[in-house]
Amino acid sequence: MERLSKAQILIFLVSVGFIFLSPYIFEDYGMRILNNICIFIILAASYNLINGVTGQFSLEPNGFVAIGAYITALALLDEDMKFELFQLEDPAPWVLALHLDLIPALLLSGFVATIVAVFLAAPVFRVRGDYLAIVTLGFGFIIKVIAINSPEITNGSIGLNEIPSVINIYWTGGIAILTVIFMLNIIYSKYGRAMKAVRDDEDAASAIGINTFKIKTYAFGTSAFFEGVGGGLLAILLTTISPDLFTFFLTFQLLIIIVLGGLGSMTGTIIGTVIVIGGSEWLRFLDAPLNIFGYETDAHPGLRMVVFSAILILVMLFAREGIMGKKELTDIFKRKAK
Amino acid sequence: MDFITFFQQLINGISLGSMYALIAIGYTMVYGVLRLINFAHADIMMVGAFAAFFAMDSIGFSLAFAVLFAIIISVLTGIATDRIAYKPLRQAPRISLLITAIGVSFFLENIVNVTFGGTPKSFQAPDFFEQIIKIGGTTLTPTVIIVPLITMLLLAVLLYILFKTKYGIAIRALAFDIKTVSLMGVDSNKIIMIVFIIGSALAAVSGIFWAISYPILTPYMGVMIGLKAFAAAVLGGIGSVSGAVLGGFILGFTEVVFVAILPEYGGYKDAIAFIFLILVLLFKPTGIMGINFEKSRF
């Protein structure tokens, strides 16, 4: 790896310091949003690897997040709790036996998601472009259908609750920073360059000897690992999960984040996450009764989502490259230094 | 399964398949011309269903006028999405167009959600549709007979437009090579608008069929139906209208038969479309009657 620039070290130290001090700065509500932002940085950064860096327009992260969330939840719930929770059918024997600490549970979540991704790669990457989008969308959907129809593992549509909340900002923030560093290392490695080559021109990449299928599978598997870990963290943060959480809407949120930030840019992903997750909290006022020039309107639950989708359309129409384009923050520093 | 049960399931399957087919046609025609998976298409179907509901429930129209009203609203929505969201991106990379389409889809769902409120709406079809017809040993509803008949009629009209009229020739030419045909003096934006008009009108009809057959309307009803209808279009071979119809029928029939044969796995019926789709793409990447587009890429 190249030597770290001063800017990179500075950014790293500032983010670590911010995470460390945050509990002293924010109230409970602020900490919850910050936790949420950190988890979504993990999810969006890994989604960006396959979508932005490798250019494979896949729409299934909700499936991998669901896998991770369920595995972590099941690993952290104890046996008595599982018997109490499972109402539709008794839990499967292996579900009862599954009991892990936090770190092994998160790692297992990631590994299972990766294994699923590697198995999916063969059929998924036979097709390109639009077909890839629809096939991966189908997979995300199938995983949700399985979650609803396997009550002995997932407790069906009721879902799991009372997941012990064993994380704090040091976990989510720490894993988010590790994820970003890991992703940046991949992007600037030999594999990352190959991924970008696949994005820019798949046929040309193949012609200069890059095994495009292998590269896509690497990207897909790596992305799935962190989606799984992020899903596990999300389950712990929410303490309640059900199949409804892992619909296409989750993918859509991640898509807005990476498109708004700039497909392929890690800095953009982080900025996008802060804007989208922070903004969606801020926009909550839209769902309550509004006061427009002294005229009181009724409460319109869902107005927030109208504004959100309108923003996505506007970004695509007028700022197609997103906030950062494909650039990183450090690139901007470099240019100024010249 | 005895013959009578089989016959009954066959008719139910054809009826369900017709509804998929009507939506699949819209997907396949837009994909043929713009190479765009119009994610918002199924939501136009949903808009049609809600427009019909609004016309009957709030304005007090009869079903016939409600159908007309729904078609007009859907067509206007279809034209508006093309003009506002897709037209400015004609020269943009295809991924931009696809993301915009997803945005439009969410926009339509949520605007209907805000306008009509979150509670599901129950669609009151005229009593005529409630009766039960017994033929031999089978019990049928008027819907399962009327839906395929109207679908066939609309399909005949569509094929006439596509193969016998000036606009039909233009649509097929655009699907073949949009750049060259535009250079030859065809107003491609006008023809694309016609494609959206046809697709939206058919989607509206399908939306009313869904409303009569499954009378619970929600703003998100289009999501699953749309995914399945698109899967049907790809299954049949995207870009081909008869392929879309064939794919729709295959999907509708398989779903009905699957639930009839394996009722204990009924919850998985929504996944069949995709399993089918993936299998077909593995062996025949262009679908059953597919047109061989150049390898798709953004």
Side-chain angles (χ1 to χ4, degrees):
Chain A
M1 199 191 141
E2 303 148 66
R3 278 182 57 198
L4 289 168
S5 70
K6 276 183 192 150
Q8 282 165 322
I9 295 170
L10 188 71
I11 293 169
F12 175 73
L13 290 177
V14 167
S15 16
V16 171
F18 177 72
I19 296 292
F20 187 75
L21 291 175
S22 58
Y24 306 101
I25 307 171
F26 299 106
E27 304 277 309
D28 278 358
Y29 179 58
M31 286 313 289
R32 200 182 160 75
I33 297 172
L34 193 61
N35 268 308
N36 216 357
I37 287 176
C38 288
I39 293 175
F40 268 83
I41 285 177
I42 302 170
L43 299 179
S46 38
Y47 188 36
N48 200 12
L49 185 73
I50 184 80
N51 251 22
V53 179
T54 320
Q56 303 302 307
F57 193 61
S58 78
L59 292 174
E60 83 313 293
N62 57 334
F64 295 139
V65 175
I67 291 174
Y70 274 108
I71 290 179
T72 303
L74 290 174
L76 293 178
L77 287 165
D78 59 32
E79 204 161 307
D80 297 341
M81 200 65 217
K82 280 176 197 163
F83 267 119
E84 211 174 294
L85 284 178
F86 279 68
Q87 289 168 4
L88 299 169
E89 255 176 66
D90 280 342
W94 69 265
V95 168
L96 278 179
L98 184 69
H99 194 78
L100 295 169
D101 286 335
L102 177 60
I103 295 177
L106 290 177
L107 287 177
L108 181 71
S109 304
F111 278 123
V112 174
T114 307
I115 290 167
V116 174
V118 170
F119 272 104
L120 289 186
V124 162
F125 291 128
R126 272 186 64 100
V127 290
R128 285 185 189 182
D130 301 341
Y131 287 99
L132 183 76
I134 202 80
V135 169
T136 49
L137 187 62
F139 274 122
F141 189 73
I142 289 173
I143 287 176
K144 192 197 158 203
V145 171
I146 291 175
I148 294 176
N149 289 292
S150 315
E152 72 282 6
I153 303 170
T154 61
N155 200 20
S157 51
I158 301 171
L160 302 168
N161 50 35
E162 310 215 17
I163 301 159
S165 104
V166 289
I167 52 165
N168 52 30
I169 188 68
Y170 301 128
W171 283 101
T172 53
I175 296 177
I177 290 175
L178 283 179
T179 308
V180 170
I181 293 176
F182 187 84
M183 289 295 167
L184 285 172
N185 269 313
I186 290 189
I187 294 171
Y188 290 108
S189 74
K190 184 177 91 178
Y191 294 110
R193 286 182 231 285
M195 286 168 193
K196 287 180 195 161
V198 169
R199 170 187 69 194
D200 293 339
D201 191 334
E202 193 168 339
D203 295 324
S206 174
I208 57 166
I210 293 172
N211 185 341
T212 55
F213 176 74
K214 208 166 89 182
I215 288 295
K216 287 192 249 181
T217 310
Y218 279 150
F220 202 47
T222 313
S223 155
F225 181 85
F226 288 97
E227 304 284 7
V229 173
L233 291 172
L234 193 64
I236 301 173
L237 181 72
L238 297 172
T239 68
T240 303
I241 55 172
S242 73
D244 283 343
L245 273 175
F246 307 108
T247 55
F248 180 58
F249 176 65
L250 181 66
T251 305
F252 177 68
Q253 263 185 315
L254 294 174
L255 190 65
I256 299 184
I257 290 174
I258 62 173
V259 169
L260 185 71
L263 278 170
S265 162
M266 199 51 68
T267 320
T269 302
I270 295 168
I271 298 175
T273 313
V274 174
I275 295 177
V276 170
I277 302 299
S280 77
E281 284 300 323
W282 180 71
L283 283 175
R284 274 190 197 283
F285 77 89
L286 284 173
D287 284 1
L290 293 177
N291 186 333
I292 304 168
F293 303 118
Y295 175 76
E296 285 279 337
T297 65
D298 295 335
H300 287 297
L303 191 58
R304 196 162 65 102
M305 285 319 302
V306 176
V307 174
F308 243 61
S309 28
I311 290 173
L312 180 75
I313 299 172
L314 290 176
V315 169
M316 285 328 288
L317 290 182
F318 299 108
R320 236 168 277 158
E321 292 280 293
I323 294 169
M324 297 297 292
K326 291 189 175 77
K327 287 197 280 299
E328 300 290 348
L329 192 57
T330 43
D331 297 340
I332 296 171
F333 276 126
K334 264 184 214 158
R335 201 189 300 149
K336 277 190 182 154
K338 265 178 194 171
Chain B
M1 196 163 22
D2 57 48
F3 177 74
I4 289 176
T5 327
F6 175 77
F7 182 71
Q8 188 153 350
Q9 301 300 353
L10 181 71
I11 301 225
N12 288 336
I14 288 175
S15 168
L16 183 62
S18 307
M19 296 192 261
Y20 284 134
L22 284 176
I23 307 172
I25 291 170
Y27 276 111
T28 222
M29 285 180 68
V30 170
Y31 194 89
V33 175
L34 287 182
R35 304 286 189 274
L36 161 73
I37 301 176
N38 184 9
F39 275 102
H41 185 61
D43 299 304
I44 291 182
M45 182 276 296
M46 176 274 296
V47 167
F50 268 87
F53 165 77
F54 176 76
M56 290 171 73
D57 195 66
S58 301
I59 312 180
F61 280 173
S62 67
L63 184 65
F65 278 108
V67 171
L68 198 63
F69 181 74
I71 291 177
I72 292 170
I73 296 289
S74 286
V75 165
L76 290 178
T77 315
I79 296 174
T81 55
D82 176 46
R83 281 293 133 116
I84 297 167
Y86 302 151
K87 195 178 160 206
L89 293 171
R90 292 265 199 270
Q91 309 301 326
R94 301 247 307 285
I95 187 164
S96 310
L97 208 56
L98 203 56
I99 294 170
T100 318
I102 295 175
V104 172
S105 159
F106 269 84
F107 184 80
L108 291 177
E109 282 160 19
N110 287 294
I111 202 107
V112 170
N113 192 14
V114 168
T115 317
F116 286 89
T119 47
K121 300 281 169 281
S122 71
F123 186 84
Q124 291 291 331
D127 293 337
F128 170 77
F129 292 96
E130 301 296 322
Q131 53 189 319
I132 286 166
I133 305 165
K134 283 192 192 250
I135 304 171
T138 58
T139 46
L140 302 170
T141 59
T143 331
V144 295
I145 301 166
I146 293 171
V147 167
L149 288 179
I150 297 181
T151 305
M152 288 304 153
L153 184 71
L154 290 175
L155 201 61
V157 174
L158 175 64
L159 289 177
Y160 177 80
I161 294 175
L162 274 181
F163 289 94
K164 297 285 176 200
T165 66
K166 193 174 78 176
Y167 293 115
I169 296 169
I171 291 172
R172 288 184 295 131
L174 278 191
F176 191 71
D177 185 345
I178 192 163
K179 273 189 192 136
T180 315
V181 174
S182 309
L183 286 175
M184 292 171 77
V186 174
D187 183 353
S188 63
N189 283 327
K190 189 175 151 198
I191 302 299
I192 290 168
M193 191 172 90
I194 292 173
V195 167
F196 273 89
I197 291 174
I198 295 175
S200 306
L202 294 179
V205 174
S206 183
I208 291 160
F209 287 163
W210 283 104
I212 293 174
S213 313
Y214 306 93
I216 305 294
L217 306 188
T218 74
Y220 306 100
M221 63 191 278
V223 179
M224 196 185 288
I225 297 171
L227 287 176
K228 288 188 195 169
F230 182 79
V234 178
L235 191 71
I238 196 130
S240 150
V241 169
S242 25
V245 176
L246 183 70
F249 281 137
I250 293 178
L251 182 60
F253 186 65
T254 318
E255 261 189 38
V256 168
V257 170
F258 179 81
V259 178
I261 298 177
L262 298 167
E264 66 269 36
Y265 293 104
Y268 285 98
K269 83 175 163 63
D270 293 331
I272 295 175
F274 292 105
I275 295 166
F276 239 48
L277 172 70
I278 290 157
L279 288 176
V280 169
L281 288 180
L282 280 180
F283 297 108
K284 205 165 180 315
T286 50
I288 299 171
M289 301 174 72
I291 296 161
N292 200 3
F293 289 115
E294 73 273 65
K295 268 186 185 167
S296 121
R297 89 147 58 104
F298 298 117

